Amino acid sequence: MKLQQHSDQELVKLYLNGDEAVLEELLRRHKSKIYTSIYLLVKDQYLAEDIFQDAFIKVINTLRSGRYNEEGKFLPWVMRIAHNLVIDYFRREKRGPVITSADGTDVFNLLQFQEESAEDRILREQTHHDLRAMIHLLPEDQKEVLIMRHYADLSFKEIADLTDVSINTALGRMRYALSNLRKMMKVKEIS
């Protein structure tokens, strides 16, 4: 039987049994979709290629270590690895998200001053830190949409395609994320 006729799950089993050649088939089969999803997030060809390579190195290492257990869900598993590597990249680059208040202004811009005093700088840095901590507390699906929209500047159509949900679901998750952040901010103001 040709490799093209095997399912992803069968190819993974063959790879785990020592057939290194099947990895090339898995790569050929999914490269375009994985690379495109990374590129849509980072909008840089060379960075996308680097992250794609890092994702497949992580895939190989996980398979070889025997920690792979996503029976029949190879592509979503690899997409999740790639997505997490993109988020890690944005965190390392410290590209902060844009969070708008109820009147549509950027919460972080409210904190920008021409001649910032040491107290103002400390307050701004603390607020940024608090906001990042609040984002981390959001449910995974809300956090994912918020990060993709504000860190990676993706459209809701792109987010819907990458997360395999409808545009309305992506919009709803963003609405809930912003609502939850506002609630957390109010709780913080009270305490």
Side-chain angles (χ1 to χ4, degrees):
M1 182 185 283
K2 292 182 179 180
L3 290 180
Q4 293 88 346
Q5 296 171 335
H6 287 284
S7 69
D8 288 352
Q9 188 175 350
E10 291 169 332
L11 291 176
V12 168
K13 284 181 182 171
L14 288 170
Y15 179 76
L16 293 175
N17 289 329
D19 187 349
E20 299 277 329
V22 299
L23 197 58
E24 191 175 322
E25 172 60 21
L26 284 168
L27 185 62
R28 184 202 60 73
R29 192 177 284 185
H30 300 299
K31 180 179 182 178
S32 175
K33 186 168 186 165
I34 297 164
Y35 173 82
T36 301
S37 71
I38 295 168
Y39 180 78
L40 286 171
L41 289 168
V42 299
K43 296 180 175 27
D44 178 289
Q45 176 185 350
Y46 300 108
L47 178 58
E49 289 170 4
D50 286 348
I51 292 174
F52 176 81
Q53 288 176 359
D54 289 347
F56 257 87
I57 289 169
K58 197 165 191 166
V59 165
I60 292 167
N61 289 339
T62 304
L63 289 172
R64 285 183 177 164
S65 71
R67 290 178 291 147
Y68 175 75
N69 60 359
E70 305 288 326
E71 292 286 317
K73 298 177 184 168
F74 180 77
L75 181 60
W77 174 66
V78 177
M79 295 289 277
R80 196 165 55 248
I81 289 172
H83 175 76
N84 289 341
L85 289 171
V86 169
I87 290 173
D88 290 346
Y89 164 77
F90 283 120
R91 283 188 187 135
R92 278 193 313 274
E93 294 300 309
K94 293 182 174 61
R95 286 172 55 180
V98 177
I99 306 297
T100 54
S101 62
D103 65 358
T105 56
D106 181 349
V107 171
F108 286 142
N109 285 344
L110 296 174
L111 305 168
Q112 308 275 328
F113 302 102
Q114 291 294 37
E115 294 192 28
E116 192 174 47
S117 70
E119 289 172 1
D120 291 336
R121 182 181 52 75
I122 291 168
L123 178 64
R124 177 179 49 80
E125 288 173 358
Q126 183 60 47
T127 304
H128 283 229
H129 174 77
D130 291 349
L131 186 56
R132 279 191 289 274
M134 288 177 200
I135 290 169
H136 186 69
L137 295 174
L138 290 171
E140 250 343 280
D141 58 349
Q142 293 174 24
K143 181 175 26 173
E144 178 180 52
V145 170
L146 184 111
I147 288 170
M148 292 172 101
R149 179 77 180 120
H150 293 292
Y151 279 73
D153 197 30
L154 293 180
S155 71
F156 284 104
K157 168 85 173 95
E158 292 168 321
I159 293 168
D161 290 343
L162 285 170
T163 57
D164 204 25
V165 298
S166 71
I167 291 176
N168 286 340
T169 300
L171 287 166
R173 288 176 179 174
M174 177 60 93
R175 187 169 23 89
Y176 286 122
L178 294 175
S179 173
N180 285 333
L181 285 175
R182 286 187 194 104
K183 288 176 190 169
M184 286 186 248
M185 287 176 189
K186 284 182 182 168
V187 168
K188 181 139 181 73
E189 287 171 13
I190 293 168
S191 55

